[in-house]
Amino acid sequence: MAVNNHDEEILAKNNIIVTTFEKLWNWGRSRSFWPLSYGCNCCPIEMMASGAARFDIARYGYEVFRAASRQADVLVVAGPITAKMKPAVERVWAQMAEPKWVVAMGNCAVSGGPFVDGYSVLPGADTIFHVDVYIPGCPVRPEAPFQGLLELKKKVEKQ
Amino acid sequence: MLQTDQYNINIGPIHPSTHGGLHVEAVMDGETIVDAIVHVGYVHRAVEKIAESRTYTQFIPYASRLDYLASHLPTMGYVQTVEKMLDIHVPERAEYIRIIMGEFSRIASHILFVGSLAIDLGATTGFTYCMRDREKILDLFEMTSGQRMIASYMRFGGFAEDLPEEFIPAARNFLKNIPQMFDEYNHLLSGNEILQARLKNIGVLSAEDAINYGITGPNLRASGVDYDLRKAEPYGIYDRFAFDVPLGEKGDNYDRFMVRLQEIEQSGRIITQALDQLPEGEIRAKIPRIVKPEKGLEVYHRIESAKGELGYYIVSDGGEKPYRLHVRAPSFINLMVLPLISRGGKLQDIIANIATLDPVLGEADR
Amino acid sequence: MEHFFVNTAHALVAWLTGLGLAPGWADLILLVVQWIAVIIIVILNITVLIWLERKVSGFIQQRLGPNRLGPFGMFQTIADAIKLLTKEDIVPSQTDRMIFKTAPMVFIIISVMLYVVIPMGDGMEIVDLNVGLFYFISIGSLSTIALLMAGWGSNNKWSLLGGMRSVAQMISYEIPLAFSLLGVVMITGSLRMSDIVAAQSNIWFVVLQPIAFITYFISATAELNRGPFDMPEAEQELTSGAYTEYTGMRWALFFLAEYTNLVAVSALMATVFFGGWQGPWLPSWLWIIIKTYLILNVFFLIKWTFPRIRMDHLMSFSWKFLIPVSLANILLTGAGIEVLMRMGW
Amino acid sequence: MYGTGLLKGLGITLKHTFEREITQQYPEQMPVLPARFRGNLQLDFQDCIACEMCTKVCPNGVLSLESVRDDKTNKKKLMSYSIDFQYCMYCNFCVENCPKHCLHFDHNFELAAYDRENIKKVYQRPQELVTDLPEEIVAAEEKNQKRISVMIGALQKDAPKILGKLLEDEEKGKVLAAALASDQDKLEKIAVMMVEDIEKAKKVAGALANKAAKDHPKEGNVVA
């Protein structure tokens, strides 16, 4: 049975410790998204640029690009997911430890973008998993993923 | 002699140093590579098929997305191919701007090559310095077309808009800084003994093998074969510029690295000349609004892209859309030599080999 | 300020014996207190250190580094720690569960054990062992086992490659590391840390033993698996090497242990080659912190500048270059001491 | 000598360590964008003549528009214009080909959204321009509006009965009415649907009723 807002309030009142901890967890989580270094088209290059000196993703503490999927928190899908890539991405997603999020960066990941008519391209990352934040652009400016990640931060804080 | 077992290890498709979705299945004996099997197709976006459902004009942005590191060059190749079909003459000024934008793209691509090689070898700082310098070129692109990487700036018969006023001073400023940039790369990367040990005499590709495999571009020239389409078969107005074709000696990873570094310098020379000679005038030829080549026309045109010989083969059936469009992608063909140069090397060498072959998977898989 | 910590310890022991406790028991309790203090210092230090490395690497690359959380982004590591603590703990089904789970604990315990013999100030060793240096080297080389356990237990090819690399690398670099310290020991005539520090009251050993210092520095970098020798992790090649399968806190323990080792080795370097806690004006425990942090910054600079060495070059560099050089250094030192003694020095 | 290269490299990095950082701090310090920057595509609704040049030239079907033909003047009038940004390639073809120059890219690149639907941008004909349309369309529109407002009023008054009729099931109607009582937006949406497309309204209402029944098995449980 679903809990409606009113019940949540009551629960929150009785469980101050749990909710305070929840807040702390979310504070920590939302300030240290470690992206998985994955990408297969133009957007990863902008992702790399966002890690470099001019834009510097490190300011938010998100610069720890993990190569191993086990230690990553955010799967930044940058680029189209093709039929051949799909099993690999699904596997990597399964390997990531909870809590984990998906950010679709660039139009290819949002909807298939320019290549949506191609027989081999999936129409968006949300055909495989729930996407938390969509960042349209083709390719996106390096500031746009920052905005996307900051939106994700807001979302996680509210959880 | 101890009996050892061979095992397979999958490098990619999701791996930090495979430049996108490349999958190399390495057959290993300890850390030594016995064989490497290249799997491509992870970024196959069916571009050639999409081309058949787009008009000639509408394919221009797709052409830019083939080699997204040097987006002006594949666009230039496509645009020139269609111009060849329609027999359009491009105004002088537009030709010069094409050279300028194309060579800037080449520099951007080669700088990113240096950077990604550095990061693949573990020198993260070299990468950030390269990106810093690349940003200046991207600023130039953004100034002209409003997009940083994938500009879609070229049109049939010329350009969409003229250069903005601030472009030429900014371009000259960048060119002025090239020696300083080189100084830094040479001290930080190419002069570094560790990097030299990682690259020298590794992944040797003989001139004969390179020709047999159909390798083109800097990879071929690193093996000592003097073949550059800009010299051998000048397209556009490349015959008006004086520049050298840097050559390697052995064809190892270090030569491939150095050839690209020197090509940046030569591209700088070309741009300087083009900026000096840049005439005033029209930016775009008068062309019909709807591009419709004659029926049964087949054209192949090739240019020297940042990665090698990039060719477009277009068949027309008289309609608004190409009947067939094929791309001869240099990255794809260059990549096929990877098993040959990796055999007998170490696991760490294959990373360097992939990096110095400099494939762009968007172009290789199309 | 100079004797603040020492006096506190004495006061504690005096108070406990005053309560009627046997002196032996009081010493034991003091030991426990010291241990806890070391662990707290280690953890606090590491949070600062990780922040510092991220900041320094940012400055090297003309970036700013973390700067949003707290002053200069100081709380960034805390956020990371909270996140890592609350991450799902995955133990893959095909692993050797026992080994997989114990490996990070072994690693962190070993690295904390290193702190026992380091003199953190005048008379501030936890235990002033008469074989202090020997203890340090032998415990330090144990961390190989943890990495091998992680590599083997994960049942992953990348991990195994990382684990094997670490074994090969650590065993080869153990020898020049010990040899380079031997020169110092020959001059001092003692393995006891306090003696080594005392012997440097006039002149630092970095001046007397420059070759030993360089070989120690190189082999210590290799022992720590830091760039350019970070073979076991080697992100661009082995994804994360031995740590590939570890998540959340288990992975964080490895990370913590690596940094703990880093501090320990830098502190040892400061002790053996840079006069330990000796220094003018400031209290002794501050001096060793300053020296250690300066050395740490050199480590950072090197890591963020150089590309990674190839595995076989690494091995041949140790066996063909470092070991002969450090042996020659021992010979030279021995000859020098002999000559000086004959001259009646 | 072996090693000098390494030292030079260290010198370079050390030099840059003490140099000024070149980072632009994004949320506080917005980037300086060139005049031609392509951010978000915008339409000047009033200038558009619905010539459909943009939709024809677009490579990827980003743009679509609805228009009506005014029989008197024989001119097309734009009814609505939608830009589905998730397919855009920023090629600028639409802007170049627009004869009235009513499309342009602004400098906003902050387009991140939680929902894919929010990326799509639909321009509806502004109210003050509705009267500009041919008479019968205006009349039809007005009639429609009237019917919708009547329907909303009716729903607010006696929801269970009307919804029960719609669903052909009184129990379900009651459940749905209870669920909708607190959700004015949904109620209005259903009213619009009932006027415009009764079949669709049936489907949606059915789904909503099922959901409401699942969430609150017994009516008494609902906390108002």
Side-chain angles (χ1 to χ4, degrees):
Chain A
M1 193 179 148
V3 183
N4 60 26
N5 289 338
H6 187 70
D7 292 352
E8 249 173 34
E9 273 169 30
I10 297 167
L11 278 174
K13 263 179 203 163
N14 297 336
N15 274 305
I16 296 162
I17 300 169
V18 174
T19 47
T20 322
F21 270 110
E22 284 273 287
K23 261 184 198 156
L24 186 67
W25 297 162
N26 287 338
W27 179 84
R29 283 165 182 173
S30 63
R31 275 153 184 82
S32 108
F33 296 133
W34 291 359
L36 181 77
S37 44
Y38 153 68
C40 47
N41 215 335
C42 340
C43 284
I45 310 293
E46 290 294 61
M47 198 75 198
M48 281 153 79
S50 77
R54 182 165 167 195
F55 303 102
D56 192 18
I57 197 169
R59 287 177 293 126
Y60 312 101
Y62 304 157
E63 90 274 35
V64 195
F65 282 88
R66 295 308 307 173
S69 44
R70 298 277 188 208
Q71 294 130 27
D73 306 305
V74 180
L75 176 65
V76 181
V77 185
I81 300 177
T82 56
K84 193 170 180 179
M85 187 59 110
K86 188 183 164 209
V89 181
E90 274 175 341
R91 192 177 216 185
V92 162
W93 172 242
Q95 281 170 352
M96 282 166 68
E98 292 279 352
K100 52 188 175 183
W101 298 275
V102 181
V103 173
M105 176 180 172
N107 281 351
C108 292
V110 172
S111 67
F115 308 103
V116 70
D117 292 348
Y119 52 83
S120 57
V121 179
L122 298 187
D126 49 4
T127 46
I128 342 183
F129 23 62
H130 172 78
V131 177
D132 292 281
V133 175
Y134 297 87
I135 311 169
C138 194
V140 299
R141 250 192 95 82
E143 282 98 351
F146 293 169
Q147 193 229 347
L149 285 169
L150 292 178
E151 289 290 321
L152 182 62
K153 175 180 149 190
K154 279 181 210 159
K155 189 174 185 173
V156 172
E157 273 175 348
K158 272 183 214 154
Q159 259 173 12
Chain B
M1 188 68 190
L2 276 171
Q3 184 71 36
T4 51
D5 269 349
Q6 289 184 356
Y7 62 98
N8 284 20
I9 198 159
N10 289 309
I11 305 173
I14 297 175
H15 185 278
S17 48
T18 51
H19 294 221
L22 177 65
H23 175 189
V24 181
E25 194 183 336
V27 183
M28 312 263 298
D29 182 0
E31 282 230 16
T32 311
I33 288 166
V34 179
D35 200 1
I37 305 152
V38 180
H39 298 267
V40 293
Y42 286 95
V43 200
H44 177 58
R45 302 163 298 181
V47 172
E48 287 179 9
K49 198 72 194 165
I50 288 175
E52 291 164 20
S53 65
R54 299 286 188 271
T55 66
Y56 285 95
T57 319
Q58 283 175 350
F59 188 69
I60 290 176
Y62 287 95
S64 312
R65 276 161 181 78
L66 281 172
D67 179 356
Y68 37 81
L69 301 180
S71 75
H72 281 294
L73 285 168
T75 325
M76 186 158 117
Y78 173 68
V79 167
Q80 282 182 342
T81 315
V82 178
E83 278 161 4
K84 208 170 172 182
M85 285 177 106
L86 298 167
D87 206 17
I88 297 171
H89 289 283
V90 182
E92 281 283 282
R93 185 175 170 83
E95 285 280 22
Y96 274 97
I97 298 176
R98 273 190 191 172
I99 301 286
I100 293 168
M101 300 315 278
E103 292 303 322
F104 266 129
S105 288
R106 195 186 308 277
I107 296 180
S109 170
H110 285 347
I111 290 181
L112 191 79
F113 159 82
V114 176
S116 60
L117 177 69
I119 203 170
D120 284 349
L121 299 182
T124 333
T125 302
F127 160 78
T128 45
Y129 292 168
C130 289
M131 286 310 255
R132 176 198 64 199
D133 297 331
R134 188 169 172 271
E135 287 293 328
K136 290 169 194 157
I137 298 180
L138 296 186
D139 275 351
L140 292 175
F141 290 170
E142 198 173 28
M143 212 181 270
T144 53
S145 67
Q147 281 276 77
R148 276 160 55 85
M149 268 173 66
I150 297 172
S152 311
Y153 184 40
M154 285 179 201
R155 299 288 184 267
F156 299 138
F159 280 92
E161 288 170 282
D162 205 344
L163 293 177
E165 268 176 32
E166 65 271 27
F167 178 84
I168 290 170
R172 284 196 192 279
N173 194 23
F174 175 81
L175 293 171
K176 208 172 66 196
N177 283 333
I178 287 185
Q180 192 198 338
M181 205 170 97
F182 259 70
D183 210 37
E184 212 158 81
Y185 296 168
N186 281 333
H187 283 149
L188 190 65
L189 297 170
S190 45
N192 189 311
E193 276 90 354
I194 299 175
L195 188 117
Q196 284 176 6
R198 283 287 303 267
L199 296 183
K200 273 189 181 165
N201 298 320
I202 308 290
V204 179
L205 177 66
S206 67
E208 199 183 326
D209 278 335
I211 294 169
N212 286 348
Y213 271 80
I215 306 297
T216 46
N219 295 333
L220 177 69
R221 294 194 281 277
S223 297
V225 184
D226 187 359
Y227 179 73
D228 187 327
L229 274 177
R230 291 176 290 174
K231 283 263 191 214
E233 193 185 275
Y235 52 92
I237 52 163
Y238 268 109
D239 44 359
R240 298 184 198 173
F241 302 106
F243 64 97
D244 300 327
V245 178
L247 293 179
E249 284 162 16
K250 277 181 272 179
D252 58 0
N253 281 341
Y254 192 69
D255 278 350
R256 285 195 277 274
F257 173 56
M258 287 315 279
V259 162
R260 283 194 175 84
L261 268 184
Q262 288 159 23
E263 272 192 14
I264 297 179
E265 228 167 350
Q266 296 305 326
S267 292
R269 261 178 82 189
I270 296 175
I271 298 170
T272 319
Q273 292 171 43
L275 284 174
D276 290 342
Q277 298 170 15
L278 185 66
E280 290 295 321
E282 278 291 300
I283 193 76
R284 194 170 181 184
K286 290 265 176 294
I287 55 153
R289 190 145 214 158
I290 294 162
V291 176
K292 253 188 187 174
E294 284 168 47
K295 194 177 177 191
L297 209 57
E298 287 180 31
V299 167
Y300 180 74
H301 178 72
R302 52 189 186 165
I303 63 158
E304 181 73 29
S305 140
K307 312 286 182 293
E309 180 187 320
L310 175 72
Y312 285 91
Y313 172 68
I314 305 180
V315 183
S316 156
D317 63 349
E320 284 181 23
K321 297 165 184 172
Y323 175 73
R324 173 83 172 97
L325 187 147
H326 175 71
V327 185
R328 185 220 186 263
S331 297
F332 177 70
I333 293 155
N334 290 350
L335 203 51
M336 292 309 121
V337 86
L338 182 66
L340 180 79
I341 61 174
S342 299
R343 270 176 215 136
K346 301 280 179 237
L347 176 65
Q348 283 172 303
D349 291 339
I350 203 168
I351 307 293
N353 290 343
I354 295 170
T356 55
L357 284 178
D358 194 21
V360 171
L361 270 294
E363 189 185 59
D365 297 346
R366 298 195 282 292
Chain C
M1 282 311 282
E2 170 65 49
H3 296 293
F4 174 71
F5 292 104
V6 181
N7 289 344
T8 317
H10 286 315
L12 183 71
V13 174
W15 180 66
L16 284 170
T17 41
L19 286 177
L21 220 64
W25 283 107
D27 277 348
L28 198 66
I29 289 170
L30 180 70
L31 213 59
V32 171
V33 171
Q34 281 170 334
W35 259 107
I36 292 165
V38 163
I39 289 167
I40 290 169
I41 288 168
V42 164
I43 289 169
L44 280 181
N45 191 20
I46 299 312
T47 41
V48 176
L49 202 64
I50 292 172
W51 167 78
L52 188 74
E53 165 144 32
R54 287 168 85 166
K55 212 67 184 162
V56 167
S57 70
F59 289 148
I60 288 173
Q61 302 177 349
Q62 294 185 301
R63 300 186 282 121
L64 283 166
N67 68 348
R68 307 253 136 185
L69 282 188
F72 307 106
M74 291 271 272
F75 301 152
Q76 189 56 54
T77 335
I78 297 170
D80 285 339
I82 289 172
K83 183 210 69 183
L84 285 168
L85 269 170
T86 57
K87 258 196 108 74
E88 185 190 0
D89 176 29
I90 295 178
V91 181
S93 57
Q94 297 301 309
T95 50
D96 193 330
R97 299 177 81 86
M98 194 61 198
I99 292 179
F100 183 83
K101 283 182 176 173
T102 42
M105 289 174 230
V106 171
F107 202 4
I108 188 85
I109 289 169
I110 287 167
S111 43
V112 176
M113 274 165 76
L114 291 177
Y115 284 76
V116 172
V117 288
I118 293 171
M120 286 173 246
D122 193 1
M124 275 171 64
E125 306 92 332
I126 294 175
V127 185
D128 195 9
L129 275 181
N130 55 357
V131 286
L133 210 55
F134 182 64
Y135 169 90
F136 192 94
I137 292 169
S138 39
I139 293 289
S141 59
L142 269 179
S143 55
T144 316
I145 291 176
L147 280 168
L148 183 61
M149 279 163 79
W152 180 259
S154 299
N155 195 12
N156 177 321
K157 284 170 191 164
W158 297 119
S159 304
L160 186 61
L161 269 175
M164 297 310 280
R165 277 181 177 193
S166 109
V167 172
Q169 174 184 343
M170 285 206 183
I171 287 176
S172 340
Y173 276 84
E174 204 59 50
I175 303 163
L177 184 84
F179 278 174
S180 54
L181 290 175
L182 213 55
V184 174
V185 175
M186 282 161 76
I187 296 177
T188 348
S190 167
L191 283 164
R192 194 189 287 269
M193 291 284 194
S194 50
D195 290 349
I196 292 172
V197 175
Q200 296 180 73
S201 52
N202 290 325
I203 189 161
W204 287 355
F205 280 144
V206 68
V207 185
L208 293 179
Q209 291 278 326
I211 300 168
F213 170 68
I214 291 166
T215 46
Y216 174 80
F217 193 87
I218 295 171
S219 35
T221 323
E223 278 284 299
L224 291 166
N225 302 324
R226 274 197 74 78
F229 303 97
D230 51 347
M231 294 296 137
E233 196 174 351
E235 237 176 62
Q236 285 83 12
E237 293 140 21
L238 304 183
T239 60
S240 276
Y243 315 143
T244 306
E245 294 288 346
Y246 283 91
T247 51
M249 213 50 217
R250 283 184 210 283
W251 178 80
L253 277 182
F254 276 113
F255 206 63
L256 210 65
E258 263 191 14
Y259 275 89
T260 316
N261 268 341
L262 178 63
V263 178
V265 168
S266 308
L268 184 79
M269 198 183 292
T271 309
V272 174
F273 290 103
F274 291 96
W277 42 260
Q278 290 170 345
W281 310 305
L282 295 172
S284 58
W285 43 271
L286 209 58
W287 266 115
I288 193 134
I289 291 173
I290 291 167
K291 284 173 184 170
T292 309
Y293 265 77
L294 283 176
I295 293 166
L296 283 171
N297 277 311
V298 178
F299 273 122
F300 293 157
L301 189 66
I302 285 176
K303 175 180 175 169
W304 291 95
T305 307
F306 293 149
R308 189 175 298 114
I309 287 183
R310 214 174 80 180
M311 194 61 208
D312 53 335
H313 293 163
L314 181 85
M315 301 298 285
S316 57
F317 183 65
S318 168
W319 291 101
K320 292 180 187 164
F321 181 75
L322 277 185
I323 293 179
V325 166
S326 50
L327 275 172
N329 180 54
I330 292 172
L331 186 77
L332 219 68
T333 316
I337 291 171
E338 188 63 29
V339 168
L340 285 175
M341 268 168 58
R342 296 256 164 121
M343 283 161 68
W345 212 48
Chain D
M1 204 189 100
Y2 194 88
T4 45
L6 301 178
L7 290 178
K8 270 184 191 160
L10 279 179
I12 294 269
T13 43
L14 195 67
K15 196 184 90 198
H16 283 303
T17 310
F18 298 105
E19 253 173 26
R20 221 183 126 74
E21 281 71 37
I22 55 166
T23 308
Q24 299 168 353
Q25 304 216 45
Y26 152 65
E28 294 87 24
Q29 232 177 316
M30 290 306 261
V32 184
L33 296 169
R36 291 181 188 175
F37 178 72
R38 294 176 199 159
N40 199 350
L41 191 60
Q42 303 281 2
L43 173 80
D44 285 335
F45 198 94
Q46 312 209 346
D47 293 348
C48 182
I49 53 168
C51 64
E52 299 197 5
M53 278 304 287
C54 46
T55 53
K56 269 180 209 145
V57 83
C58 180
N60 208 28
V62 175
L63 311 168
S64 58
L65 57 87
E66 280 173 32
S67 60
V68 285
R69 186 173 286 279
D70 194 341
D71 285 333
K72 271 184 218 154
T73 52
N74 204 15
K75 267 186 189 161
K76 276 184 181 173
K77 295 261 164 134
L78 187 62
M79 289 298 289
S80 76
Y81 193 93
S82 72
I83 300 170
D84 202 351
F85 226 59
Q86 52 186 322
Y87 299 107
C88 185
M89 295 164 89
Y90 299 80
C91 59
N92 216 25
F93 284 159
C94 50
V95 179
E96 277 165 36
N97 282 284
C98 182
K100 286 282 178 185
H101 304 291
C102 56
L103 279 166
H104 69 275
F105 279 105
D106 68 4
H107 284 190
N108 177 22
F109 55 84
E110 296 170 305
L111 305 168
Y114 291 136
D115 207 336
R116 210 165 127 178
E117 290 300 307
N118 294 348
I119 298 169
K120 191 171 175 174
K121 195 159 52 175
V122 182
Y123 290 89
Q124 288 294 348
R125 199 169 180 82
Q127 273 302 321
E128 66 270 19
L129 283 182
V130 170
T131 47
D132 209 25
L133 289 171
E135 274 164 29
E136 61 271 21
I137 290 172
V138 177
E141 185 69 18
E142 269 175 14
K143 206 174 158 193
N144 218 6
Q145 281 297 334
K146 224 178 233 170
R147 280 177 67 194
I148 287 170
S149 56
V150 168
M151 187 58 87
I152 290 172
L155 269 178
Q156 275 164 346
K157 219 188 250 169
D158 193 4
K161 200 174 150 197
I162 297 170
L163 288 172
K165 226 183 226 170
L166 179 74
L167 292 168
E168 293 154 3
D169 182 352
E170 279 191 22
E171 259 322 294
K172 265 191 187 172
K174 267 181 200 163
V175 174
L176 184 59
L180 286 185
S182 57
D183 199 343
Q184 202 63 30
D185 268 2
K186 259 187 200 152
L187 194 85
E188 277 171 24
K189 262 182 203 159
I190 284 189
V192 173
M193 253 184 271
M194 279 169 77
V195 172
E196 278 170 359
D197 187 354
I198 192 86
E199 284 302 316
K200 200 177 162 195
K202 251 182 211 174
K203 263 186 208 161
V204 172
L208 277 175
N210 285 339
K211 196 173 164 251
K214 218 166 93 189
D215 285 354
H216 310 286
K218 272 186 194 166
E219 210 162 315
N221 255 1
V222 180
V223 184

